[in-house]
Amino acid sequence: MWQSSPPGSIYEYIRVASFSIGPDGLIEQWSGRAADLFGMGPHEVIGCDPVEAFMPPELRRGGHRRIREILDGKEWTGLVPFRIPGEQAVRGLAEVYVMPSVTAAGERAALCIVVDVRALRGIETDLAASQAIFGQSPFGFVLFGKDLSVVRANERFADVFGGMAADHRGRRAEDYLTRPEADRLTETLRRVLATGESVTDLRLIGTVPGDTDRRHWSMNLYRVHSGSGRPTGVAGLATDVTSRHVAAREAASARRNLRLLNEASARIGNSLDLETTARELLDVAVPGFCDLATVDLFPAVLTGAEAPPAGGPAPEPRAASPELRRVAQASAVSDPHPHAPGPPGVPVPAARSGEHPGADGGAAPEAGEPALGAVHRYPHASACASALRTGRVHEAPGDGLGFVRSTLAVPMVAHDTVVGLVRFSRTKGSEPFGERDRDLAGELAARAAVCIDNARLYRREHERALILQRSLLPPGAPEAAGLDIACRYLPGNATTEVGGDWFDVIELPGHRTALVVGDVMGRGLRAAVAMGELRTAVRTLALLDLEPAEVLSALDEVARGLGTPGGGDRAEGGGTQWPSRALQKSREADLSEVYLATCVYAVYDPVTRRCTFANAGHLPPAVVEPGQEARLLDVPPGMPLGVGGEPFEEVEVELAEGALLTLYTDGLVESRDHPLDEGLDVLRTALTGPRMRLEAACDHVLAALDTRHGEDDIALLMARIQGLPEEAVGDWTLPREPRSVGRARELARRRLNEWNLDDLVDTTELLVSELVTNALRYGEGEIRLRLLRDRTLVCEVWDAGLIQPRRRRARDTDEGGRGLQLVGLLSAAWGSRRTPRGKTVWFELALPDGQSAADLTVEQLLSMY
C-alpha cells in the first residue's frame, strides 16, 4: 500500500539527497532534496560537471579521477566538501555514496546518494544520548505510547520488575501496581498526554515481584514529541524513595513520640484520682498513638492497698492472671466491634464463688471486651497475662477478623511493682507497631503508673485521714435536752476533704449541753490530727464540768504544750538537742502554727434557758429570736488557743423559747471574693426571715453564702432553743435538819407519781435518801433538791459544801460508807460538780420502757461488803 511519508520522518532529520551522472560524466538527474541540500536548482546543474560545480578548485583534479573510476564500474564512498547555500565562505561536508549503474543503452553511469554529515552526526549524538538514558541511567526509565502501554523500558526498570527490558513492551500500569495505584497513574498519564503539563514527584506504592514489602517510588512524567511537535507518548523517570520514605517516617515518628511524651508530662497526673489519671493516659494515647486503648488496674490498687505480686511463677499451672478492674477505655474508630472477640489475650470473666478456671486459664471468654468497671482475668497463654507476669511489653497479633491489626500489652510498673495493664491497639489501615512504638508505649505506661501509684498512696492516706476526722466529728444528728440541733461540715476542697475545723455537742450533768465549734489554722492531715487532739481535750475538760472560761484556759495550756517540741524547752547542756538552732526554730514555728486554733465554748441549761459563752479568738455566735432580726452576740473574742498570757471572759445570755443559735467557722463568711464584714452581713440576712425546719435552715445558710470557694473548711452548728417545760422540773429547798431526808423522799415520790414514773419510785426514794443524808452529814448550808424529766430522769442535790464526795469500799465491820456504792449500782450514771456556791451531787435513771427493772445480782450486793 503506497502512502506518503508522515511528517517528522527520519529522512527529514538526516537530509538524504540523490542525483545521477550520465556516461559522459555530467549530471543527468537532480532530485528536489539535492536542490535543498546544495542550494541549486535542476536548471543550474543538469549537464554540468559535478566536480566543477560543487568541489573547491584545489580538489577538482582528484575529483575528476574519482569520476573516471566510478564510470569504470567502481563503487566509492567518501566525504566531499561542498558549498553551503548562502554561505560562500563556509564549506559543508557531505557523505557521498556512489554506485555504478547501467543505462537503457548499456552504457555505464552512476547513482549518487548524498547525506549531510552534520545532520548525521547530530542523529548519532541523539541516539547515543538516548541510549545513555535508557541503558546507562541508574533510574528506571519507561516510555509510554499514546495508548498508555509501555513502548520501551531500560534495564534498571527491568531489574526492579523482572525479566528483560524488551519483555515489558506492551504492558500497562495495572501490570505493576494495585488497582487503586494503577488507576491513579493511568489518570495522571492521560492528563500529561492531553495537556503537556509535566508532573513531578508522583508518589506510588507497590511491591516488586517476589517481595511482600511495600516500596515507595517517586515518578516524574513529561510528554515527548516528534520533530514536527506532534505528541508521541509520555516518558517517565521512576526513583525508589523507600529508604527516604522510611527515614522521613521515622523522623515524623520521633517527632510524634517527643510530642506525645511532652503532652504526657503536661496532662498525666494532674489529679490524685486513679480513674482520672487512667483517662488522662488514654486522652494522650488515642488517637495520637493508637486507635483503641484500655486500662486495667488491680482492685487492691483502687482501694489504696498494695497490688498483688505479678511476677514469678503462677500459683497454679496455666492459671489465669489475677483479677483486674477495667477503669478506662477509649476508641478513635466509629465501629470498634464491641461484640467481636478481642485479640489473643481477650479478658475472661472473674471466677465466681465456687467456680474454677478451665483448661484455657479461665472461664469461657465473654463476647467482646469487659464493660467499664467490670472485673475480669486474662487467660494464662495470652500476651496480657505474660506482660503481667514478666513486667515486660508483649505484642499480640491481630484479632483474626482483620479489624485489629496489632496490640501492645504494656504492664504498668511503679517502683518495681506492677499496678495494672494498659493495652494499645491499632486497627486496619494503621501501621503496625514498631520498636520505637514499643519503647514509647512502655514510657507512657511507666509515667502513668507512677502517677497512679502516687494516687494510690494518696487515696490510702486520705482514707485514713477521713476515718480519723469522721471519727472525731459527732456521728449523725446530735441530741440534747432542750435543743433541736442540726450541723454541717464541708471540706475546703473535694480533693483533700480533710481539715482542722470541728464542732461538738457534749452532754453535761443536769441535762445541760456544751456546744463547741473550733478551727485549727491550716488544713490537711496535720490540721486534722491537731483538731482531734484539741477536741479530745475539750471533751475531757467538759466532763469535769468546769466553767466555760476555765475550759478554754485549760485548753490553751494543752494547745501550747502540743505546739512545743518535746512538750517544752530543753536546756542546752543536757538531753537530746535538735540538729541545729535554725532547724529547732523552724520546727517549733511549724508546730506552733499547726496547733494555733480558735474556739467558742458554750454551755446551755434547758431549765433556765441560759447559755454561757467563752471565746478564744473565734467569730461571735449569731442569735435570732422569734420576730426579730439576727444579731451577733457581744462575746469578748479573747486570744486564740496556743497563744497564752490572757484570761478568757464569760458572757451569760438568756435565750427566748424558739430562738435560733448559730455557731460557725470563718470559712462560711470569709473568702477572697468578699471581706469578713460582708460575709457576716450576708449571714445575718440569711438567718433573718420566716421560721423553717432546722435542716432546711442549714441548707439555706449554705446556699446564701459562697461556700464552694474551696479556700477553707466550713463547720456550721445550729441549735433551736426548747427549754424544759415547768411541769418537767421539780425544785425544792430543804432546811438543814434530819427530817429533811424524809421530806425529800416524799417530794420525790409525789412528783414521780405525777409523771407516771411509778416504776422508778422505790429506786429514786432510796438514792435521794442517800444523797440528802450525805449532804446533811458532810455538806454545809441549806439543801436543794431538783428533779428533771426529759429523755432520762435526773436527780440533783445541792449544798454549800466544797468537799466532793468520793466513792470508797466499806470494811466488813463498817456500819456505813455504802451509800455511793448503792448510787453507782442502781443509777445509770452519777457524779458531782462544783457550783459557784458549793457543789451538786447527781444521779441519772433511764425512763422505764414497759419492762421491769432487773434486780441486783448476788455479786453486785456482795461487792458492797
Side-chain angles (χ1 to χ4, degrees):
M1 179 177 180
W2 295 88
Q3 62 180 10
S4 60
S5 177
S9 171
I10 187 64
Y11 299 105
E12 295 181 5
Y13 287 101
I14 62 177
R15 302 180 67 182
V16 178
S18 63
F19 63 91
S20 62
I21 300 176
D24 56 2
L26 302 178
I27 297 175
E28 190 175 67
Q29 293 180 343
W30 190 256
S31 67
R33 286 186 180 273
D36 293 338
L37 177 63
F38 294 103
M40 303 173 73
H43 63 279
E44 296 180 82
V45 296
I46 292 178
C48 296
D49 186 342
V51 175
E52 298 292 334
F54 307 117
M55 297 184 67
E58 63 273 15
L59 300 177
R60 290 175 181 172
R61 183 177 179 179
H64 287 296
R65 186 175 65 252
R66 292 295 183 187
I67 290 296
R68 288 194 297 269
E69 292 176 356
I70 292 170
L71 293 176
D72 288 338
K74 186 178 181 179
E75 290 187 1
W76 180 82
T77 301
L79 298 177
V80 179
F82 66 94
R83 294 193 307 270
I84 298 176
E87 300 180 7
Q88 298 296 331
V90 180
R91 297 177 179 179
L93 188 65
E95 186 171 1
V96 181
Y97 300 89
V98 182
M99 297 170 286
S101 63
V102 179
T103 65
E107 297 178 311
R108 292 187 177 184
L111 177 64
C112 299
I113 304 297
V114 183
V115 178
D116 188 348
V117 173
R118 292 182 306 169
L120 190 61
R121 295 295 179 264
I123 292 175
E124 291 176 350
T125 302
D126 293 342
L127 289 176
S130 176
Q131 183 61 31
I133 292 174
F134 271 79
Q136 302 175 21
S137 173
F139 308 111
F141 198 96
V142 61
L143 180 64
F144 295 94
K146 297 179 66 174
D147 61 351
L148 305 184
S149 64
V150 176
V151 175
R152 184 177 179 184
N154 66 353
E155 293 297 331
R156 175 58 181 163
F157 187 87
D159 290 342
V160 173
F161 291 99
M164 303 298 292
D167 298 337
H168 293 273
R169 183 184 300 274
R171 292 184 181 179
R172 309 183 71 85
E174 52 266 25
D175 295 325
Y176 304 102
L177 303 172
T178 60
R179 174 58 63 180
E181 292 290 282
D183 291 345
R184 193 160 62 92
L185 176 58
T186 300
E187 181 62 29
T188 305
L189 289 172
R190 287 197 182 100
R191 186 171 68 253
V192 171
L193 187 61
T195 64
E197 296 180 358
S198 301
V199 173
T200 59
D201 198 21
L202 174 65
R203 294 301 179 95
L204 299 172
I205 302 174
T207 59
V208 298
D211 194 355
T212 58
D213 293 337
R214 295 200 305 176
R215 310 293 295 177
H216 295 260
W217 293 285
S218 173
M219 199 165 193
N220 297 330
L221 301 173
Y222 58 93
R223 189 171 68 180
V224 294
H225 307 81
S226 65
S228 62
R230 180 175 54 88
T232 60
V234 177
L237 182 64
T239 306
D240 192 333
V241 294
T242 303
S243 59
R244 188 193 313 168
H245 175 80
V246 171
R249 185 178 60 187
E250 290 182 353
S253 176
R255 289 193 298 269
R256 181 203 63 187
N257 292 355
L258 290 175
R259 185 178 66 253
L260 284 175
L261 289 177
N262 183 60
E263 186 179 0
S265 300
R267 297 180 60 181
I268 299 176
N270 290 324
S271 70
L272 289 173
D273 181 76
L274 288 93
E275 292 82 357
T276 302
T277 303
R279 288 193 297 269
E280 290 170 347
L281 168 61
L282 299 192
D283 290 341
V284 171
V286 180
F289 178 68
C290 62
D291 303 315
L292 304 170
T294 61
V295 176
D296 300 318
L297 297 178
F298 292 113
V301 175
L302 297 172
T303 62
E306 295 287 345
E316 297 180 10
R318 301 196 59 79
S321 70
E323 290 186 354
L324 297 110
R325 184 179 295 276
R326 178 65 48 84
V327 297
Q329 56 191 22
S331 172
V333 294
S334 58
D335 182 18
H337 291 288
H339 301 294
V346 65
V348 297
R352 298 180 178 86
S353 177
E355 294 182 348
H356 299 281
D360 59 349
E366 293 179 328
E369 289 289 311
L372 193 64
V375 176
H376 61 88
R377 296 175 183 268
Y378 287 105
H380 173 80
S382 66
C384 296
S386 299
L388 289 172
R389 285 194 303 270
T390 62
R392 295 193 298 270
V393 179
H394 282 67
E395 184 170 0
D399 57 2
L401 301 177
F403 179 73
V404 175
R405 185 168 187 177
S406 61
T407 297
L408 291 180
V410 187
M412 307 181 74
V413 183
H415 310 297
D416 298 328
T417 301
V418 179
V419 299
L421 180 83
V422 57
R423 292 192 306 165
F424 302 109
S425 298
R426 288 181 179 175
T427 57
K428 181 180 179 181
S430 299
E431 294 184 357
F433 291 110
E435 193 62 32
R436 291 179 182 268
D437 296 324
R438 293 169 64 94
D439 295 339
L440 177 61
E443 181 65 24
L444 290 175
R447 295 192 179 196
V450 172
C451 296
I452 285 177
D453 193 56
N454 292 339
R456 176 190 67 82
L457 295 174
Y458 168 78
R459 177 169 291 186
R460 183 181 66 184
E461 299 304 320
H462 180 240
E463 290 293 334
R464 293 176 180 177
L466 282 180
I467 293 172
L468 169 64
Q469 185 171 49
R470 289 168 182 169
S471 67
L472 297 176
L473 294 176
E479 296 182 356
L483 292 176
D484 184 12
I485 297 176
C487 50
R488 294 290 189 274
Y489 175 80
L490 300 179
N493 56 69
T495 57
T496 59
E497 296 186 6
V498 179
D501 289 13
W502 90 92
F503 63 89
D504 209 346
V505 178
I506 307 171
E507 295 187 44
L508 300 178
H511 286 315
R512 295 172 304 132
T513 303
L515 304 176
V516 189
V517 169
D519 183 2
V520 176
M521 294 185 183
R523 66 175 60 184
L525 182 59
R526 297 186 66 186
V529 171
M531 176 270 286
E533 293 174 330
L534 292 178
R535 178 179 178 272
T536 302
V538 170
R539 276 192 159 264
T540 302
L541 294 170
L543 293 178
L544 295 177
D545 212 353
L546 303 175
E547 296 297 323
E550 294 177 316
V551 170
L552 293 186
S553 296
L555 190 62
D556 179 63
E557 294 292 335
V558 173
R560 281 191 291 165
L562 293 175
T564 303
D569 295 333
R570 297 190 181 188
E572 294 186 5
T576 303
Q577 300 295 321
W578 291 104
S580 67
R581 177 62 62 182
L583 180 58
Q584 178 181 358
K585 290 182 178 179
S586 174
R587 294 187 178 181
E588 288 177 353
D590 187 38
L591 288 171
S592 297
E593 180 182 0
V594 169
Y595 288 104
L596 194 65
T598 64
C599 180
V600 61
Y601 184 87
V603 176
Y604 171 70
D605 188 344
V607 179
T608 62
R609 293 200 313 277
R610 287 183 174 272
C611 193
T612 305
F613 296 92
N615 193 351
H618 204 79
L619 295 175
V623 173
V624 184
E625 296 187 342
Q628 298 184 14
E629 294 183 354
R631 59 188 174 92
L632 299 179
L633 295 179
D634 186 14
V635 180
M639 298 298 292
L641 300 175
V643 175
E646 294 292 334
F648 298 98
E649 300 182 40
E650 292 182 358
V651 172
E652 187 177 67
V653 179
E654 183 174 352
L655 302 174
E657 182 75 18
L660 182 61
L661 174 64
T662 303
L663 305 179
Y664 53 93
T665 56
D666 58 356
L668 179 68
V669 295
E670 186 178 24
S671 72
R672 296 188 184 96
D673 298 331
H674 54 75
L676 177 61
D677 292 340
E678 182 181 336
L680 292 174
D681 291 338
V682 176
L683 174 62
R684 286 195 295 267
T685 302
L687 292 174
T688 303
R691 176 167 176 162
M692 60 181 69
R693 292 185 305 103
L694 205 54
E695 293 291 337
C698 277
D699 296 334
H700 175 68
V701 169
L702 294 177
L705 287 104
D706 180 17
T707 58
R708 298 184 181 274
H709 49 71
E711 298 171 12
D712 198 2
D713 309 318
I714 296 174
L716 175 64
L717 177 62
M718 304 182 74
R720 182 89 65 186
I721 303 303
Q722 298 174 350
L724 288 180
E726 293 184 1
E727 60 272 13
V729 179
D731 196 348
W732 306 275
T733 301
L734 302 174
R736 191 171 186 79
E737 55 187 29
R739 62 180 182 177
S740 293
V741 177
R743 176 63 178 165
R745 289 198 299 268
E746 181 183 353
L747 293 172
R749 183 190 316 113
R750 185 183 306 165
R751 182 52 57 94
L752 262 62
N753 289 332
E754 293 175 0
W755 288 342
N756 296 320
L757 298 177
D758 299 340
D759 293 341
L760 300 181
V761 170
D762 293 339
T763 302
T764 304
E765 278 192 275
L766 176 61
L767 299 185
V768 165
S769 176
E770 290 293 337
L771 294 186
V772 173
T773 299
N774 285 344
L776 287 173
R777 181 175 300 178
Y778 305 108
E780 299 177 5
E782 63 182 4
I783 300 171
R784 181 181 176 187
L785 173 65
R786 190 167 77 167
L787 294 178
L788 306 176
R789 178 177 64 91
D790 190 69
R791 291 174 298 148
T792 60
L793 176 67
V794 174
C795 175
E796 298 177 328
V797 176
W798 307 43
D799 69 83
L802 297 178
I803 301 176
Q804 296 291 323
R806 181 174 61 87
R807 182 178 177 180
R808 65 184 179 85
R809 182 178 294 276
R811 293 189 295 269
D812 295 344
T813 58
D814 291 344
E815 296 182 358
R818 298 179 178 86
L820 291 181
Q821 287 183 277
L822 281 173
V823 173
L825 288 173
L826 297 178
S827 64
W830 78 279
S832 66
R833 68 178 185 274
R834 290 183 301 142
T835 64
R837 292 181 297 274
K839 68 175 182 296
T840 300
V841 183
W842 57 272
F843 68 84
E844 183 177 353
L845 296 176
L847 298 182
D849 55 1
Q851 299 180 359
S852 59
D855 296 331
L856 294 177
T857 64
V858 175
E859 289 77 9
Q860 289 174 327
L861 292 174
L862 291 177
S863 67
M864 295 186 292
Y865 295 93

